[in-house]
Amino acid sequence: MILKSLPKKQIRVFLVLTLITIILASAPWWVSRADIRLLGEFYSFLALAVLWNLLAGYTGLISVGQQAFVGVGGYAMFIVTAKLGISPFLSVPISMLAAALIAGVFAPLLFRLNGAHFAIGTWVAAETISLCFFMVPELGGGAGMSLPTDVVKSIASSRAMREMTIYWLMLGLGLGTIFAVYALLLSKTGLALMALRDNEIAAASLGINIWKTKFVMYIAVAAATGAIGAVIFFQKLRISPESAFSLNDWTIIIIFIVVIGGIGKLEGAIVGTIVFFILRETLADYGVVYLIVLGVFAIIIMMFSRKGIWGMFEEKFKRSLLPVTREP
Amino acid sequence: MDNSLLRINNLSSGYGDFQALFDVSFCLEKNSVLGLVGANGAGKTTLFKSILGLLPREKSMIQFQRQDIGHLSANKLAGLGIAMVPEGRRLFSSLSVYENLQIAADYGRKGYWTIERVFELFPILAEKQKMPSLSLSGGQQQMVAIGRALVANPEVILFDELSLGLAPTVVNDVYAAMPSIIESGISAILVEQDIERVRKISKNLVCMREGKIVLSGAASQFTKEQLTTAYFGE
């Protein structure tokens, strides 16, 4: 039904995405174990970048506190599996709920702020949540905790199978996020998000409820980020407040990815993640130089193309990989 | 019989400590145009912002169809049937002409005005519907802004500086659409700098100066001299 109502070029995109998903799902049979881990990590960063882009690039909510939801998702998974004995697979939706709940508590406070104040507010909220986990000795306090062996084995009995399962979960979340966000952008709400990004007052005067739209997006992005957090820590098997609520790992790098790829474009997050992983895998052995190169690269992109690498490409070739334009 | 659609009652408002409107009162009748004139800084745009809830006002200061609406936000007012064509158009810059209209069709009220009817009113928009809205000329952008308000099927449209920055021939094209709009059952408050033009099209006229109403009544009863005096002061 949904496919029937879509223009041909968008149906083509969904079919190509499905084909890519099938090919990537078979990767464990033709890719090394090390590369499977790397791909899994790639999908998690891809999903985080797509979600942050949705929040900042479409909804206008520049958050530097998304690490809060990665951390809450990760800890929720540890609590329900290690402390309550619930299946690791059930822990993913529970992590989503936990992250959505925390976002729901903070959103009414944060939404009183705008622009830079909102950004700082989200950061402060994330630090506050992180400190709360530091103070819980049952969760290992600042040292954190490891996932008990029986929980690890309940994911899958063998290590190879466990790695494959986690890979598929990450693939599902990574490409599932792209599918979901693309479908959202093609919907009535997606058009409203773009209108809201362009001009809030004009959007409101047409009947779009700005507060509600932003609130729903913030909660949905937090929930999805929580799920990704849970799966990230399936792979890591150990959690601590420092790793779970890392500003650098879960927000700064994600902002870097979206900025160099192209903010406000779904393709921008994808291109940015690919470029980041190429840079990281090429330069990781050079220590601090790696970070300097990343910084310089981001500055150059921002100076010469505010729309990022994808924006530059799109402007030059007038091509869109994931078109969201509606036609009569 | 009370023919009022939108009534402003002793509206006072402003920006923080700065009061920009002082006890403004007037009434927009059904199926009519009310012209609102005044020099820059007279408070016309501030009045629109207050009506739309972008500036503070009290519940009873604005009545729509005899209901107090002074406590409602812009999106709720849109649901009731109050739309605005803002100064400077404020089109959705990343969207095409068609998408600018589509969003009003998605979120606005259902009624006589559809995207197709807007294209009949402004045929040039049908030709340019796939183009980015900001690639259009100023006059065509104004047509998109008007069309966007119409597709939301409001009862009232607040037109802010309809002719600002447009060439005289383009202004004629834009104004030529006004009779069709009013005939479809929409009432309008029209903010305009061109006194003669607004006097011709309006049933009633309000002149503001320094946040206060200095003249109001049937447009036909005022001479050009009376209006000029009210506009600029003694």
Side-chain angles (χ1 to χ4, degrees):
Chain A
M1 274 301 279
I2 294 168
L3 281 178
K4 266 186 184 174
S5 64
L6 287 175
K8 269 186 187 164
K9 62 180 174 184
Q10 275 135 8
I11 294 174
R12 247 191 336 257
V13 169
F14 276 110
L15 291 176
V16 170
L17 279 176
T18 309
L19 188 68
I20 291 171
T21 309
I22 293 166
I23 294 168
L24 291 176
S26 68
W29 286 284
W30 46 271
V31 169
S32 71
R33 277 168 75 173
D35 287 342
I36 284 293
R37 278 183 77 88
L38 184 66
L39 274 174
E41 202 185 351
F42 174 84
Y43 301 142
S44 63
F45 274 77
L46 177 65
L48 290 175
V50 167
L51 290 169
W52 192 83
N53 191 30
L54 176 65
L55 208 57
Y58 287 94
T59 319
L61 295 169
I62 312 279
S63 165
V64 284
Q66 291 310 94
Q67 68 275 21
F69 308 118
V70 173
V72 167
Y75 266 105
M77 183 274 284
F78 266 71
I79 293 166
V80 299
T81 54
K83 303 287 177 189
L84 305 176
I86 293 171
S87 151
F89 300 105
L90 257 181
S91 75
V92 178
I94 294 172
S95 296
M96 286 180 84
L97 277 176
L101 195 71
I102 295 290
V105 169
F106 278 92
L109 300 170
L110 293 170
F111 280 22
R112 289 171 176 266
L113 309 171
N114 287 315
H117 294 99
F118 174 82
I120 293 167
T122 56
W123 185 10
V124 171
E127 288 300 312
T128 309
I129 297 164
S130 169
L131 289 172
C132 291
F133 282 93
F134 261 103
M135 293 188 298
V136 184
E138 289 78 9
L139 299 174
M145 63 191 282
S146 295
L147 207 57
T149 317
D150 57 325
V151 175
V152 176
K153 284 189 172 164
S154 71
I155 298 171
S157 50
S158 71
R159 188 176 168 187
M161 195 59 208
R162 194 169 60 245
E163 283 180 355
M164 279 165 80
T165 308
I166 292 169
Y167 171 83
W168 285 323
L169 274 173
M170 289 211 167
L171 174 69
L173 283 174
L175 297 192
T177 305
I178 294 179
F179 267 107
V181 172
Y182 187 51
L184 174 79
L185 293 178
L186 291 176
S187 72
K188 179 178 153 178
T189 308
L191 195 59
L193 286 178
M194 287 180 252
L196 193 151
R197 174 187 62 188
D198 289 349
N199 195 312
E200 280 195 13
I201 294 171
S205 69
L206 288 177
I208 298 169
N209 188 328
I210 305 289
W211 198 94
K212 189 177 152 195
T213 308
K214 286 188 172 188
F215 181 79
V216 170
M217 281 301 122
Y218 187 69
I219 301 292
V221 167
T225 306
I228 296 158
V231 181
I232 285 172
F233 286 95
F234 270 160
Q235 197 177 47
K236 291 188 181 294
L237 302 177
R238 182 166 178 78
I239 198 166
S240 69
E242 206 178 322
S243 64
F245 296 95
S246 168
L247 172 70
N248 192 48
D249 289 350
W250 313 127
T251 300
I252 300 296
I253 286 175
I254 301 302
I255 294 175
F256 169 84
I257 286 172
V258 177
V259 166
I260 61 161
I263 194 165
K265 291 279 176 188
L266 190 46
E267 296 95 329
I270 301 167
V271 170
T273 313
I274 294 168
V275 170
F276 169 72
F277 269 78
I278 291 171
L279 287 173
R280 199 188 75 171
E281 293 308 304
T282 318
L283 302 169
D285 293 340
Y286 297 97
V288 181
V289 176
Y290 154 64
L291 292 171
I292 294 170
V293 172
L294 282 192
V296 170
F297 189 71
I299 291 167
I300 291 171
I301 293 287
M302 282 188 281
M303 280 175 71
F304 293 102
S305 174
R306 297 290 292 268
K307 293 177 181 173
I309 297 168
W310 180 257
M312 221 159 32
F313 176 88
E314 205 177 43
E315 232 166 56
K316 195 169 170 65
F317 298 102
K318 310 281 177 217
R319 284 268 178 273
S320 183
L321 270 182
L322 302 165
V324 290
T325 316
R326 283 143 191 86
E327 287 185 2
Chain B
M1 196 180 108
D2 186 5
N3 197 28
S4 71
L5 184 63
L6 183 70
R7 189 178 283 279
I8 310 299
N9 299 317
N10 301 313
L11 175 63
S12 295
S13 187
Y15 305 87
D17 291 338
F18 175 73
Q19 188 172 350
L21 295 177
F22 301 86
D23 289 326
V24 171
S25 298
F26 62 83
C27 165
L28 170 70
E29 293 175 11
K30 281 178 191 160
N31 292 104
S32 74
V33 177
L34 183 140
L36 185 58
V37 294
N40 285 338
K44 307 180 299 290
T45 300
T46 305
L47 173 65
F48 277 4
K49 283 183 177 171
S50 304
I51 293 173
L52 284 180
L54 305 173
L55 290 175
R57 76 285 204 234
E58 284 171 24
K59 189 177 170 182
S60 61
M61 286 177 172
I62 303 157
Q63 285 183 322
F64 180 68
Q65 294 174 328
R66 293 190 215 117
Q67 302 291 317
D68 290 341
I69 57 158
H71 57 299
L72 299 179
S73 54
N75 63 296
K76 289 204 172 121
L77 294 175
L80 284 178
I82 300 175
M84 186 176 179
V85 176
E87 182 184 345
R89 278 81 74 175
R90 298 196 185 198
L91 298 183
F92 303 124
S93 55
S94 69
L95 304 182
S96 67
V97 170
Y98 177 80
E99 288 170 324
N100 265 273
L101 300 174
Q102 181 61 49
I103 197 153
D106 284 346
Y107 283 87
R109 296 153 25 117
K110 303 294 169 224
Y112 173 81
W113 287 100
T114 58
I115 295 175
E116 290 69 31
R117 285 215 161 97
V118 168
F119 287 160
E120 282 168 22
L121 187 67
F122 301 119
I124 188 72
L125 297 186
E127 289 171 31
K128 305 208 168 190
Q129 57 181 305
K130 289 185 185 176
M131 292 178 70
S133 56
L134 289 196
S135 68
L136 270 57
S137 70
Q140 289 161 358
Q141 286 186 30
Q142 189 64 283
M143 290 171 190
V144 177
I146 295 170
R148 193 175 62 181
L150 289 174
V151 175
N153 282 292
E155 304 277 337
V156 177
I157 300 182
L158 312 176
F159 290 98
D160 198 0
E161 304 282 11
L162 204 51
S163 63
L164 192 72
L166 302 181
T169 51
V170 178
V171 176
N172 289 341
D173 290 345
V174 170
Y175 269 91
M178 286 303 272
S180 306
I181 295 171
I182 304 306
E183 275 168 27
S184 73
I186 292 173
S187 306
I189 300 180
L190 179 63
V191 162
E192 185 55 85
Q193 298 280 351
D194 185 338
I195 296 176
E196 263 316 290
R197 193 181 283 279
V198 79
R199 197 164 67 126
K200 275 182 198 161
I201 202 169
S202 305
K203 183 180 180 194
N204 293 307
L205 215 113
V206 169
C207 182
M208 289 182 72
R209 200 172 65 234
E210 293 171 358
K212 295 173 188 157
I213 291 182
V214 287
L215 184 123
S216 71
S220 55
Q221 79 183 64
F222 302 117
T223 62
K224 193 176 175 185
E225 288 68 34
Q226 280 176 307
L227 282 169
T228 308
T229 308
Y231 193 96
F232 294 109
E234 294 295 340

